[in-house]
């Protein structure tokens, strides 16, 4: 067997073993998991997630996932907790403690603190009779399986199961709360995900920046508004300020003969495409691409077609929506 073949065989063995461990974890979930979710739902303060070493890295990720999906949470390092950070935990919080062995020495002060001040604690470990799980209010037992490293000493399978268990808790919580992609965007405005979840109202131009004219506006003034506002179009509104049409470059070309003798209403295209300000900007971009247009007016969703803003395709591109 060549070195490359050995590398692939090793990788496949690890992934297969960890995948089997996840199946075992899933099959073994019981009422304790439901109790943990109920406890997390009832928390009045924050979820404190903690662990030492590799479990600590997993704890940081779980805390971040909780926080970005509607469950306020943060990570507390157990060693730092013994030197003042215990003050980060108060009555009303829930503590989620991760330890594969359930006997991690650095967790002792933190666990004792939760017991002293009656702070609910959820323990995650692979040994049901460990100190952590016997003292926890809710014990989540990981299947006691060998690590995928082959030597049994490198946290691999155990950390994968712990991470998956944390994800399962977070998703159960967000589904119960009917947490939506729009909610997620509120906690995650940056990066590609934030761009994909941007709303039209986040990007549109409002107020005096909106190019609007009344139906009886002469085309001389209409052209001036198009030029001043810089969108290449102008919306036409009636006496109730409802959008009734739009004047585009195509409309100007079609009425070139005697253009300046017309009003905006006589030149406009009636019933233009619009978008809800609360719609995702990606939806607006899809409409613009489908209709081969560069602007969309956002109208209030209450049915009166009053203009709330205008969105240009360049606004979407600048935000990273492609």
């Amino acid at each position: 067997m060549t070195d490359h073949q050995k590398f692939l065989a090793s990788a496949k063995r690890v992934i297969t073993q960890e995948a089997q461990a996840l199946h075992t974890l899933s099959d073994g979930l019981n009422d304790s998991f439901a109790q943990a979710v109920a406890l997390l739902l009832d928390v009045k303060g924050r979820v404190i997630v903690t662990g030492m070493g590799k479990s600590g890295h997993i704890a940081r990720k779980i805390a971040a996932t909780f926080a970005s999906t509607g469950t306020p949470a943060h990570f507390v390092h157990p060693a730092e907790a013994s030197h003042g950070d215990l003050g980060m935990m108060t009555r009303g919080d829930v503590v989620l403690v991760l330890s594969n062995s359930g006997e991690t020495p650095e967790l002792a002060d933190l666990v004792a603190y939760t017991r002293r001040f009656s702070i609910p604690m959820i323990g995650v470990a692979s040994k049901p009779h460990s100190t952590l799980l016997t003292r926890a209010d809710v014990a989540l037992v990981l299947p006691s399986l060998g690590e995928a490293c082959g030597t049994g000493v490198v946290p691999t399978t155990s950390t994968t199961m712990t991470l998956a268990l944390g994800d399962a808790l977070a998703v159960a919580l967000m589904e119960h709360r009917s947490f939506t992609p729009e909610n997620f965007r509120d906690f995650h405005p940056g990066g590609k995900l934030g761009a994909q979840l941007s709303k039209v109202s986040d990007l549109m131009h409002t107020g005096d920046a909106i190019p609007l004219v009344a139906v009886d506006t002469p085309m001389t003034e209409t052209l001036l508004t198009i030029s001043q506002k810089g969108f290449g179009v102008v919306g036409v509104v009636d006496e109730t300020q409802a959008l009734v049409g739009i004047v585009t470059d195509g409309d100007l070309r079609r009425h070139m003969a005697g253009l300046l003798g017309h009003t905006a209403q006589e030149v406009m295209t009636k019933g233009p495409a619009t978008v809800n300000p609360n719609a995702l900007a990606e939806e607006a971009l899809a409409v613009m691409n489908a209709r081969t247009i560069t602007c969309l007016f956002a109208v209030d969703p209450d049915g009166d077609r009053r203009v709330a803003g205008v969105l240009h395709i360049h606004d979407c591109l600048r935000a990273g929506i492609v």
Side-chain angles (χ1 to χ4, degrees), residues 156-219:
T156 46
T157 304
S158 60
T159 49
T160 297
M161 289 191 293
T162 306
L163 179 61
L165 186 61
D167 287 343
L169 289 169
V171 172
L173 291 167
M174 64 181 285
E175 287 182 349
H176 181 84
R177 295 188 174 113
S178 300
F179 195 84
T180 65
E182 288 77 13
N183 298 138
F184 183 82
R185 193 261 171 189
D186 291 338
F187 297 115
H188 199 293
K192 181 64 176 177
L193 282 174
Q196 290 175 336
L197 297 172
S198 294
K199 296 179 181 179
V200 170
S201 58
D202 297 325
L203 306 179
M204 70 184 187
H205 303 265
T206 60
D208 291 340
I210 306 174
L212 293 176
V213 295
V215 290
D216 57 355
T217 302
M219 282 305 300

Side-chain angles (χ1 to χ4, degrees), residues 1 49 53 69 120 142 156 185 244 256 264 284 290 307 322:
M1 182 181 291
V49 192
T69 54
L142 298 172
T156 46
R185 193 261 171 189
V244 294
M256 188 64 69
V307 177
V322 295

Side-chain angles (χ1 to χ4, degrees), residues 67-80:
S68 66
T69 54
T71 301
H74 64 259
F75 170 78
V76 171
H77 194 288
E80 295 295 336

